[in-house]
Amino acid sequence: MSETNIVNHKKVALVTGANKGIGYEIAAGLGALGWSVGVGARNEERREAAVEKLRADGVDAFGVPLDVTDDASVSAAARLVEERAGRLDALVNNAGITGGGPQEPTTVDVNRVREAVETNVIGVIRVTNALLPLLRRSPSPRIVNVSSSVGSLTLQTTPGTETGPIAVAYAPSKTFLNAVTVQYAKELAGTNVLINAVCPGYTATDLNGFRGVRTPTQGAASAIRLATVPDDGPTGRFFDDEGEVPW
C-alpha cells in the first residue's frame, strides 16, 4: 500500500505556523488522535526539526513549506497536500505576528499595521481559499482560525476588563480576523464546512517573549477541540477554554 493510500485512511490536518509554540502543540495533539498532520512553516530547518520530533513521538507528520503571505507558496502547499492525501479534513490557521512595537495609534509606523493584517488576515483568506477545494472532499471539514480575546470589541470596550496594552496593529487584526470568520460562516452555511475562531489565552510563546501564563499545550486545547467537533457542532462562533467569547 502506498504512503498516499495509508494517509487516506486517516484524517488529515494542516496547521500553519506549526514548527513551534501553539501551532506545534496543535499538530501534536491532532497527531495523538491518529491524524496525519501537515506542519506548515516558512523556516525549513525549524519545520523539518518539528516534523522529526513529532515523528519520534509517533505522529504521522509531514512538512509543508508555507509562507502565508506568498501566493506561490500557498498554491504549492495546496498541491503538496493534494498529492499526499487527496483531501483535507481540518485546516488550522495558526500562523500570526504581532507586528512589533510600539503600537500606539497616534505614532505607529503604518507598516506595522499593514504587516499584521497581511499575515493575520489576508494570509488566512489566502490559505483558506487555496485549501477549500480539498476541504470540500472531506465528509466533515473543519476550519479553525486562531484569534485572540484582544480582538473582541465587546471586551475592549468593557470597563475594567484586561485586554493587554494598546496595540493598533495586532488587536484590530484579530478583530478583522473574527469578522472574516463570520463572513466565511455565512457563505458556507448549509454546507458541511464548519469554521470557528479560537482564543488560546495568554500563552507563553516567542510572540509575547514567553511572558504568558499558559503553556502551549494548554493554548492548543481549544483549537484541537474545534478541529474535531461533530457534524452538529458550532460554526461562525468564537471560543476559548471557558466557552464562547463575545465578538
Side-chain angles (χ1 to χ4, degrees), residues 5-247:
N5 287 333
I6 292 172
V7 170
N8 281 338
H9 286 79
K10 299 180 178 182
K11 288 195 171 185
V12 182
L14 173 63
V15 183
T16 69
N19 62 302
K20 57 185 176 179
I22 295 170
Y24 178 88
E25 294 301 336
I26 294 171
L30 290 173
L33 296 175
W35 289 53
S36 178
V37 185
V39 177
R42 292 178 297 178
N43 185 282
E44 180 179 4
E45 183 177 350
R46 289 199 295 263
R47 181 181 64 247
E48 294 312 311
V51 169
E52 183 177 347
K53 183 179 178 183
L54 287 165
R55 287 177 175 172
D57 289 337
V59 175
D60 179 12
F62 60 99
V64 181
L66 180 57
D67 179 349
V68 303
T69 67
D70 182 82
D71 288 338
S73 175
V74 172
S75 295
R79 289 193 299 271
L80 188 155
V81 174
E82 181 172 26
E83 291 168 1
R84 179 180 172 88
R87 71 170 197 286
L88 189 65
D89 298 288
L91 170 63
V92 182
N93 288 304
N94 167 75
I97 63 172
T98 64
Q103 291 191 17
E104 287 77 10
T106 58
T107 57
V108 71
D109 178 346
V110 295
N111 287 320
R112 296 191 190 280
V113 180
R114 184 177 293 111
E115 290 168 2
V117 171
E118 179 63 44
T119 297
N120 299 350
V121 183
I122 298 173
V124 169
I125 296 171
R126 180 181 288 113
V127 172
T128 299
N129 289 352
L131 274 298
L132 194 56
L134 297 181
L135 285 160
R136 291 186 186 277
R137 297 178 188 174
S138 168
S140 301
R142 306 290 180 258
I143 303 171
V144 182
N145 293 335
V146 178
S147 183
S148 171
S149 61
V150 303
S152 166
L153 292 179
T154 299
L155 296 179
Q156 284 279 0
T157 56
T158 299
T161 302
E162 175 55 48
T163 54
I166 295 172
V168 75
Y170 180 70
S173 77
K174 293 301 186 178
T175 306
F176 195 170
L177 176 60
N178 290 347
V180 164
T181 303
V182 170
Q183 296 304 308
Y184 270 105
K186 290 173 69 175
E187 181 179 355
L188 296 170
T191 75
N192 59 352
V193 182
L194 304 183
I195 179 170
N196 293 284
V198 64
C199 172
Y202 192 35
T203 302
T205 68
D206 58 1
L207 200 72
N208 55 44
F210 299 95
R211 292 187 298 272
V213 297
R214 290 165 59 82
T215 67
T217 300
Q218 290 173 320
S222 289
I224 294 169
R225 178 174 59 82
L226 288 171
T228 58
V229 292
D231 292 340
D232 62 352
T235 192
R237 312 264 287 280
F238 185 20
F239 296 94
D240 62 13
D241 282 356
E242 297 181 0
E244 192 158 2
V245 180
W247 295 114

